[in-house]
Amino acid sequence: MSAERTSYRVWAVPGLPEVREGDDLAKLIVGAEPALADGDVLLVTSKIVSKAEGRIIAADSREAAIDAETVRVVARRGPLRIVENRQGLIMAAAGVDASNTPAGTVLLLPRDPDASARVIRDGVRDALGVEVGVVVTDTFGRPWRSGLTDVAIGAAGVRVLDDLRGGTDAYGNPLSATIVATADELAAAGDLVKGKAEGLPVAVVRGLPHVVHGDAEDAGARALVRGAADDMFRLGTSEAVREAVTQRRTVRDFTDEPVDGGAVRRAVAAAVTAPAPHHTTPWRFVLLESESARLRLLDAMRDAWIADLRADGKSEESIAKRVRRGDVLRRAPYLVVPCLVMDGAHDYGHARRDAAEREMFVVAMGAGVQNFLVALAGERLGSAWVSSTMFCREVVREVLELPEGWDPMGAVAVGRAAAAPAERAGRDAEGFLLVR
């Protein structure tokens, strides 16, 4: 280990006055700590940044302020909400704080914490001629861990992430996934001396000059926020199941990326938890994992469909247009054919009751397919349910060598979406309700 990493010093800055809107934080900090040096890191509590930037607002209800700052609810338990806020941070109550602020007001986070950090860094440079790093900190809880800690929500002049991938450990083993959240480690170190109630909102770390750098490398603390595509827990708790349902979209264009068969099997495991009549299990899912199997089925279905349309007197132009609609299945790297089986169905010997019995099984099949589609969305897989196999069941059974009692109930195209789906038009639930 190099000498520059073996030790450091951290201390809180005493003597800062109460911060008010319009105050120059850099000037206040330099006045309280005039001996700042090149390579120091300032750890600045977000509360005083928000106060200086006038982020105190009148609010009769903290909940209304949280609503206004929330982009997406991630989880909810009673009055507690974990949300994604306007800054892209996942945190409790969107960072809206009703402590250390006058009654009837709440404190919002800085609009752009990285920009706030840059202003402080530049102000210190202008006043003292030294290059420091600045980290704007806030207090977070963490999934699977009790207790709170400070993390970085804004940064300037600081290497926020230390990417060790491509290096080796002490035993020569390659490091392939190690990226250290340096800015968060600095924030936590500062919190040890600032405390939560001591009125010491700024700390200094000295002795780690390797974490301070110039503007050319400045990514800011936003680089610490994991993107949606890499977030394995974006649809985490039971509350987020609702979001999985609402975020599911029909995907019609896919990339060539292979589909993980294990992910599809996990989605099937979710599908077969759907309700069904008489303690039956009426779902079967045929997985078409090979291209040859997919093409063999789709070619046979296309031929049967064209024959039916010609028998109905459709024009060749009309037939071509209808066939093109089914091309979504050809564009997918993976197909699933859900099938209904009526094992366990009651035979009443009465046309009306027997028809109702089948409807119960069909509803159970629909519930299973919906579970399947939502679970695929949770696996970050796009899907499109297409009804086509229902119109040529005999052909599907023959090509896939299925038992006579298996009724194909459409097909599901599965793959990685080639582009982000279009936003769905909002639907007001009240328009679908009839209350008696």
Side-chain angles (χ1 to χ4, degrees), residues 9-77:
R9 178 182 170 218
V10 57
W11 69 93
V13 176
L16 283 165
E18 178 67 23
V19 174
R20 304 185 186 282
E21 183 175 354
D23 281 349
D24 184 332
L25 286 182
K27 184 177 180 180
L28 295 180
I29 292 168
V30 166
E33 190 62 68
L36 290 171
D38 285 330
D40 286 348
V41 179
L42 288 172
L43 308 168
V44 184
T45 303
S46 63
K47 273 190 176 66
I48 65 169
V49 177
S50 293
K51 288 180 178 180
E53 294 179 356
R55 295 286 282 164
I56 300 176
I57 64 168
D60 295 331
S61 165
R62 181 177 180 232
E63 294 303 308
I66 294 170
D67 288 342
E69 292 297 300
T70 294
V71 172
R72 175 174 68 95
V73 176
V74 176
R76 184 193 301 267
R77 180 171 294 169

Side-chain angles (χ1 to χ4, degrees), residues 242-264:
R242 288 191 295 274
E243 180 159 335
V245 174
T246 58
Q247 291 299 311
R248 185 206 65 76
R249 296 286 190 277
T250 295
V251 174
R252 300 187 181 279
D253 290 298
F254 303 92
T255 69
D256 294 332
E257 183 180 348
V259 172
D260 174 17
V264 176

Side-chain angles (χ1 to χ4, degrees), residues 32-356:
E33 190 62 68
L36 290 171
D38 285 330
D40 286 348
V41 179
L42 288 172
L43 308 168
V44 184
T45 303
S46 63
K47 273 190 176 66
I48 65 169
V49 177
S50 293
K51 288 180 178 180
E53 294 179 356
R55 295 286 282 164
I56 300 176
I57 64 168
D60 295 331
S61 165
R62 181 177 180 232
E63 294 303 308
I66 294 170
D67 288 342
E69 292 297 300
T70 294
V71 172
R72 175 174 68 95
V73 176
V74 176
R76 184 193 301 267
R77 180 171 294 169
L80 176 63
R81 281 181 280 174
I82 307 298
V83 307
E84 179 182 350
N85 68 10
R86 294 181 181 275
Q87 291 81 1
L89 302 169
I90 308 296
M91 61 189 308
V96 176
D97 196 343
S99 63
N100 295 309
T101 185
T105 67
V106 295
L107 197 60
L108 309 181
L109 289 179
R111 283 192 177 87
D112 184 345
D114 285 332
S116 302
R118 289 194 294 272
V119 169
I120 296 171
R121 179 203 54 188
D122 293 346
V124 171
R125 179 196 292 149
D126 292 343
L128 299 178
V130 296
E131 290 291 343
V132 300
V134 176
V135 176
V136 177
T137 70
D138 199 67
T139 303
F140 273 49
R142 297 147 302 151
W144 309 294
R145 305 285 288 182
S146 295
L148 304 171
T149 187
D150 267 19
V151 302
I153 66 167
V158 173
R159 184 172 292 107
V160 296
L161 294 167
D162 191 4
D163 191 346
L164 303 180
R165 293 174 298 179
T168 57
D169 64 17
Y171 293 94
N173 299 311
L175 299 173
S176 58
T178 304
I179 303 176
V180 178
T182 305
D184 282 347
E185 292 183 325
L186 291 165
D191 191 41
L192 291 173
V193 295
K194 288 189 297 179
K196 297 298 182 193
E198 284 77 7
L200 298 169
V202 178
V204 181
V205 171
R206 177 169 292 169
L208 298 174
H210 65 281
V211 306
V212 177
H213 59 66
D215 292 347
E217 302 176 77
D218 209 348
R222 182 161 288 277
L224 292 162
V225 178
R226 194 184 300 275
D230 298 322
D231 187 352
M232 294 175 65
F233 305 101
R234 189 171 178 82
L235 303 178
T237 67
S238 58
E239 291 89 351
V241 170
R242 288 191 295 274
E243 180 159 335
V245 174
T246 58
Q247 291 299 311
R248 185 206 65 76
R249 296 286 190 277
T250 295
V251 174
R252 300 187 181 279
D253 290 298
F254 303 92
T255 69
D256 294 332
E257 183 180 348
V259 172
D260 174 17
V264 176
R265 286 163 173 79
R266 290 191 292 273
V268 170
V272 299
T273 65
H278 314 314
H279 306 289
T280 58
T281 55
W283 320 276
R284 303 292 186 270
F285 291 84
V286 184
L287 311 184
L288 277 63
E289 297 187 328
S290 71
E291 183 179 19
S292 60
R294 294 193 297 275
L295 292 178
R296 189 166 62 250
L297 173 65
L298 295 175
D299 288 346
M301 288 171 55
R302 180 189 59 199
D303 293 343
W305 198 8
I306 289 174
D308 284 348
L309 291 170
R310 283 175 176 161
D312 290 341
K314 302 295 183 184
S315 70
E316 293 301 314
E317 181 181 358
S318 173
I319 291 172
K321 184 181 297 186
R322 291 165 186 259
V323 168
R324 280 197 299 273
R325 290 180 195 153
D327 283 349
V328 61
L329 298 178
R330 290 185 180 273
R331 292 193 292 269
Y334 198 109
L335 291 183
V336 178
V337 179
C339 295
L340 171 68
V341 298
M342 296 288 290
D343 296 348
H346 294 176
D347 184 359
Y348 294 100
H350 185 287
R352 179 174 57 81
R353 292 180 182 176
D354 288 340

